[in-house]
Amino acid sequence: MPPCTLCDLPTGDDPHTAPDVDGEFCCRGCLAVARSLGDAQGDDGIDPGLDEVEERRPDAEPGDEFDGETAFLHVDGMHCATCESFLEMTAGEQPGVAAAEASYATDTIRVDYDPDAVGADELPERLSVAGYSASHRADPDSEGDDAVVRFLIGGGFFGMMAMLWYAVFLYPTYFGYDPFLDLGGITGLYLFTQIWVFASIVLFYTGYPILRGAYVSLRARQPNMDLLVSLAAVSSYSYSTLAMFLGRTDLYFDVTIAVILVVTAGNHYESLIKRRATGALSELTTATGREVRTEAGETVAADAVDPGDRLLVRPGERVPFDGTIVEGAAAVDEALVTGESLPATKREGDAVRGGTVVTDAPVVVAVGEDAESTLDTLVRMLWEIQSSRSGIQRLVDKLATVFVPLVVAVAVLAAGATLALGAPPSEAALVGLTVLIVSCPCALGLASPLAVAAGIRDAARRGIVIVSDAVFEEATDVDTVVLDKTGTLTDGEMRLLGTETDGADPETVRDRAAALERASIHPIAEAIVAGVTSRGAGRDREEDAGRPPAATDGGASVATPAEPSPAAADVTVTDRGVFGRIDGDEVVVGHRSLFEGDAWAVPESLDGAGTKAREAGRVPVYVGWDGAVRGMLVVGDEVRDGWEAVVEDLAADGRRVVVLTGDSPAAARQFEAHPAIDETFAGVPPEAKAETVRRLTATERVAMVGDGSNDAPALAAADIGVSVASGTDLAVDAADAVLLEDRLSAVPELFAVTRGTNRRLKQNLGWALVYNAIAVPMAVSGVLNPLFAAAAMATSSLLVVSNSARTVYKDE
């Protein structure tokens, strides 16, 4: 049986094909995607399947086998593309490691290793180097408050002591006042030594993360912002140390302290804002389990299950592994895994996916050949994509790749020219160091963290959590927005949407249906009961207020019953409906097939209404008694308020809008018909969603918005992943931004905030570069003094802080 050309799932005995599309497909959804997007992933257009990827190295040629294992580690401390290169290089140097691929955007590194040479438990320790902290991806270590301790204790205390000495003994001399102490004697040397000690603590203790980043950038040969900041801090420290031993009093230790403290404070503020925002996600829980129940009711570890084992799954529990139902029948909620909004009835012999939820009756499942869960497969797919998704090079790091070599060249030329003009080597060295000192003012170090923090802050005020900084630079270039249907465009909750009757009283039809459905725990039954109950509560409130009750869906008046819902007797629940006796009548509620034959009369109007409901992706539930169908209830999920305005806003910004869903084509038809939606892919299985997004990203910059675990790999594969927080934590884990409120209008707001933040970042960098345009020539000419350097840095930093404090986006 050949696998699906798009998603590698089995195609079955009757694969879907088309003369205009190469390959065989497992479903019409995959065929539609392949027809629309074509080949976009190499020679054959297909990415290697998950199993194949796990068997060979990422850089291996086709056919090369890697007989080891793959581990996914969470790494704290990565913050740029340079970190990725350094960790990949470090991992590659470890014995037993065949290959590694890191992503700072997702704090993930994938390691292919030989378990005979290195154990899985050893990998985190071996990769926890140079201040990075690695842990297994399934159980990442929480970040500590080490940066806060460094800043408050190391930087705050000793930095304030050093600046106090400057304010009392050195700064007055820059204004022409006589010093309080003999700065050229032993007393001055004692004072300078104290300042040197304080500055050393600030530089090497508080500034350790910055220095580490600079070291990493040099090892990886990729200049970044840390290297630029370190150049200024270390240069001013070296200059001042040399000048102190030469008996000079123009010391720049205050520049070292200011640069380190201000940049550390900016980074800490950004982290603090981000932690406050992401703290709102802490209550989301995982959906995977560690234990399962055997057919006999015994609880065992999931790792102890073998193919063919029979497991008991009770109502409300998740199917632990892919398999086949061998006993019982139940409605299975597949929305988490497949995106299908309506529950599917599964009977003996039907296949079920691991991670789906049994809702209304216990079943016994025989574990499939691989003893694997579709949900676990989605988790591995997510980690696979996240580890291979390199973070974009931030704008400030791009600037550093040009600015660092340029500044170093100017410093060398200035020192060389000074030496050529006859100055002593010590003076020439001081001129060169002065250029390096002024090249990176605090403003340049603050430009990115303060702009990002402002964006995170403003997004949080709108119920949007920014998880990855890459959002601010990626989102502005997004060409296409892919929207999941179930749980994103719709609310994903089953509810009673309407009532159709053929002469019967609509209220009686609903009440009788609810009276029988109370005996069932099927999701559709619960939706009917909840809908009728809420209508009754609303009617009671209206009557209490002296208002007449509202009309029904069909336009007939509502006959307010004198009593609550009628009592049902002799109730029998089956997998297709419910039977019972109400007020002496034999009442049947359920599937259309229950009313076939000569014993039942089904009005054509209700049959037509049922067909119309099914075509809209909803469920018709028929209600009958006395040999005739009296009415029909329509159950389904509702579209979110304002969805049309959202897609129109996205389209108005020049973005393509695509709907991608695992639901049926009928359920997606209303979106396909909207003029602002460019394309709709329906019936796409979860394994194919990520491949669909990959093909889109081959030619476009793509943002994906989704909520279910089935969306997680697609969210990670997109350039920007946006998750609804009411969805699963797997989707949240894959996302770059999370919408905390069930408010779809937050999607256009996210793009507006990121656009404003990106604009603010460029403004901040502009202020910093203006400073450099003035200060560097002054340093080269030798007219710069410590007072001007301190004042200029303070002014430029104040401008950046003030600019970042403004709201980046205001509602029109």
Side-chain angles (χ1 to χ4, degrees):
M1 183 184 299
C4 175
T5 304
L6 184 74
C7 68
D8 286 341
L9 289 177
T11 57
D13 297 330
D14 187 20
H16 294 267
T17 60
D20 58 333
V21 182
D22 294 333
E24 297 181 345
F25 302 89
C26 64
C27 62
R28 294 187 180 277
C30 287
L31 175 61
V33 171
R35 174 184 286 115
S36 178
L37 301 183
D39 294 344
Q41 298 291 333
D43 294 339
D44 59 1
I46 307 302
D47 280 348
L50 180 65
D51 294 336
E52 181 184 349
V53 169
E54 291 189 346
E55 289 176 358
R56 61 182 177 87
R57 303 183 305 277
D59 58 347
E61 295 296 328
D64 290 351
E65 293 292 331
F66 174 63
D67 295 328
E69 296 182 3
T70 298
F72 296 91
L73 304 180
H74 176 94
V75 182
D76 283 333
M78 285 198 291
H79 63 280
C80 65
T82 305
C83 298
E84 295 175 348
S85 301
F86 176 77
L87 284 169
E88 289 170 358
M89 181 173 57
T90 300
E93 294 172 352
Q94 302 299 317
V97 174
E101 193 169 13
S103 169
Y104 89 83
T106 58
D107 295 328
T108 301
I109 183 169
R110 166 192 162 151
V111 182
D112 292 340
Y113 67 99
D114 181 359
D116 295 330
V118 58
D121 293 338
E122 299 176 60
L123 291 174
E125 181 179 355
R126 295 195 180 188
L127 294 183
S128 295
V129 295
Y132 298 102
S133 177
S135 60
H136 283 290
R137 185 68 171 80
D139 187 25
D141 294 333
S142 60
E143 295 185 12
D145 294 328
D146 193 42
V148 181
V149 174
R150 277 199 180 97
F151 176 69
L152 293 179
I153 298 179
F157 178 76
F158 292 104
M160 287 175 59
M161 290 295 296
M163 297 307 293
L164 177 62
W165 293 158
Y166 263 93
V168 173
F169 299 109
L170 292 180
Y171 286 153
T173 64
Y174 300 157
F175 289 97
Y177 295 103
D178 294 331
F180 293 108
L181 301 174
D182 181 11
L183 298 180
I186 189 65
T187 304
L189 182 60
Y190 175 72
L191 174 66
F192 295 153
T193 301
Q194 289 188 59
I195 296 176
W196 175 78
V197 171
F198 297 152
S200 299
I201 294 174
V202 172
L203 175 62
F204 297 109
Y205 181 61
T206 305
Y208 170 74
I210 298 173
L211 297 177
R212 182 202 67 187
Y215 165 75
V216 167
S217 74
L218 291 174
R219 280 287 306 272
R221 298 180 181 178
Q222 293 182 7
N224 61 7
M225 193 63 201
D226 287 335
L227 181 58
L228 193 54
V229 173
S230 297
L231 268 178
V234 173
S235 297
S236 59
Y237 179 84
S238 302
Y239 173 102
S240 303
T241 302
L242 177 61
M244 182 177 68
F245 286 109
L246 293 176
R248 301 181 58 156
T249 60
D250 53 335
L251 307 182
Y252 287 88
F253 287 121
D254 57 334
V255 174
T256 298
I257 293 170
V259 168
I260 293 296
L261 291 187
V262 171
V263 173
T264 302
N267 291 333
H268 171 60
Y269 176 69
E270 177 189 354
S271 300
L272 182 64
I273 294 295
K274 187 183 298 184
R275 280 200 301 272
R276 286 178 179 174
T278 56
L281 307 178
S282 60
E283 295 182 359
L284 294 174
T285 56
T286 59
T288 56
R290 298 292 183 182
E291 294 183 338
V292 297
R293 186 179 292 106
T294 66
E295 184 179 15
E298 179 185 358
T299 300
V300 298
D303 294 341
V305 174
D306 296 319
D309 286 355
R310 295 162 67 101
L311 304 178
L312 175 65
V313 185
R314 294 174 177 171
E317 295 179 347
R318 296 190 184 280
V319 177
F321 299 99
D322 294 353
T324 304
I325 293 181
V326 294
E327 184 178 326
V332 178
D333 183 355
E334 299 180 323
L336 175 73
V337 175
T338 67
E340 177 69 49
S341 60
L342 303 177
T345 299
K346 301 289 185 178
R347 302 177 179 86
E348 291 184 16
D350 289 343
V352 288
R353 291 175 178 262
T356 56
V357 181
V358 173
T359 63
D360 62 342
V363 293
V364 176
V365 177
V367 178
E369 293 181 1
D370 297 328
E372 191 169 71
S373 167
T374 296
L375 185 58
D376 292 338
T377 302
L378 290 174
V379 172
R380 287 202 308 278
M381 286 179 65
L382 167 62
W383 293 352
E384 180 71 39
I385 294 168
Q386 285 186 329
S387 64
S388 63
R389 176 186 167 190
S390 296
I392 63 168
Q393 190 178 28
R394 295 180 302 176
L395 181 59
V396 289
D397 290 333
K398 292 178 182 178
L399 176 64
T401 59
V402 177
F403 200 60
V404 169
L406 179 63
V407 168
V408 171
V410 172
V412 171
L413 289 174
T418 304
L419 188 63
L421 293 175
S426 59
E427 184 175 340
L430 291 176
V431 171
L433 288 172
T434 303
V435 173
L436 295 178
I437 290 169
V438 302
S439 64
C440 178
C442 299
L444 200 53
L446 288 174
S448 177
L450 290 189
V452 168
I456 292 173
R457 176 199 64 207
D458 285 4
R461 290 172 178 171
R462 289 168 172 77
I464 305 168
V465 175
I466 304 296
V467 180
S468 170
D469 297 352
V471 170
F472 294 113
E473 297 187 38
E474 288 269 24
T476 54
D477 298 324
V478 166
D479 307 304
T480 299
V481 179
V482 180
L483 298 169
D484 171 54
K485 185 190 82 70
T486 305
T488 304
L489 288 173
T490 68
D491 58 18
E493 296 181 4
M494 301 292 291
R495 65 183 72 229
L496 178 60
L497 300 180
T499 306
E500 296 287 341
T501 65
D502 188 54
D505 173 36
E507 199 67 41
T508 301
V509 170
R510 282 193 290 265
D511 285 345
R512 288 194 163 192
L516 291 186
E517 295 287 22
R518 281 190 173 89
S520 173
I521 57 174
H522 193 288
I524 292 177
E526 292 178 344
I528 292 173
V529 173
V532 172
T533 302
S534 64
R535 282 175 179 267
R539 190 168 57 245
D540 291 341
R541 287 192 296 270
E542 290 174 345
E543 291 173 350
D544 291 343
R547 297 189 299 271
T552 65
D553 306 67
S557 61
V558 177
T560 304
E563 299 178 357
S565 297
D570 302 328
V571 179
T572 301
V573 179
T574 71
D575 60 347
R576 292 184 178 273
V578 187
F579 302 80
R581 183 179 297 276
I582 298 176
D583 296 335
D585 294 330
E586 293 289 343
V587 182
V588 180
V589 180
H591 194 270
R592 172 66 176 80
S593 61
L594 296 177
F595 302 92
E596 294 178 350
D598 296 336
W600 289 97
V602 183
E604 291 185 5
S605 62
L606 295 183
D607 251 348
T611 301
K612 183 178 179 181
R614 280 190 293 271
E615 289 176 350
R618 292 166 176 170
V619 179
V621 179
Y622 293 85
V623 183
W625 61 85
D626 288 341
V629 174
R630 308 291 180 173
M632 185 200 67
L633 309 181
V634 180
V635 177
D637 61 345
E638 284 190 305
V639 295
R640 292 188 186 275
D641 292 337
W643 74 270
E644 292 178 304
V646 169
V647 297
E648 288 167 1
D649 286 347
L650 294 173
D653 285 340
R655 296 184 173 93
R656 292 181 66 240
V657 180
V658 175
V659 174
L660 178 64
T661 178
D663 220 334
S664 65
R669 192 163 291 129
Q670 64 175 318
F671 304 108
E672 186 176 17
H674 196 282
I677 295 177
D678 298 275
E679 246 177 323
T680 300
F681 298 116
V684 181
E687 292 83 354
K689 279 191 173 183
E691 177 62 23
T692 304
V693 172
R694 283 196 193 99
R695 294 195 176 198
L696 286 170
T697 57
T699 56
E700 307 166 59
R701 189 63 61 86
V702 177
M704 168 77 188
V705 185
D707 75 311
S709 292
N710 62 301
D711 299 321
L715 290 171
D719 297 296
I720 295 293
V722 182
S723 172
V724 180
S726 59
T728 68
D729 69 319
L730 191 61
V732 171
D733 185 47
D736 300 295
V738 181
L739 311 182
L740 291 182
E741 303 170 359
D742 285 339
R743 185 172 59 86
L744 198 58
S745 59
V747 175
E749 290 178 8
L750 170 63
F751 288 110
V753 169
T754 56
R755 185 167 55 246
T757 301
N758 196 261
R759 182 170 59 248
R760 188 65 45 80
L761 172 60
K762 292 178 180 179
Q763 291 171 352
N764 288 349
L765 290 175
W767 285 116
L769 292 177
V770 167
Y771 166 90
N772 277 277
I774 299 172
V776 171
M778 294 183 66
V780 171
S781 63
V783 299
L784 185 70
N785 61 61
L787 177 62
F788 175 82
M793 279 198 299
T795 302
S796 61
S797 299
L798 183 61
L799 287 172
V800 168
V801 171
S802 301
N803 193 41
S804 298
R806 297 186 295 119
T807 300
V808 298
Y809 164 72
K810 295 181 180 179
D811 296 323
E812 298 295 330

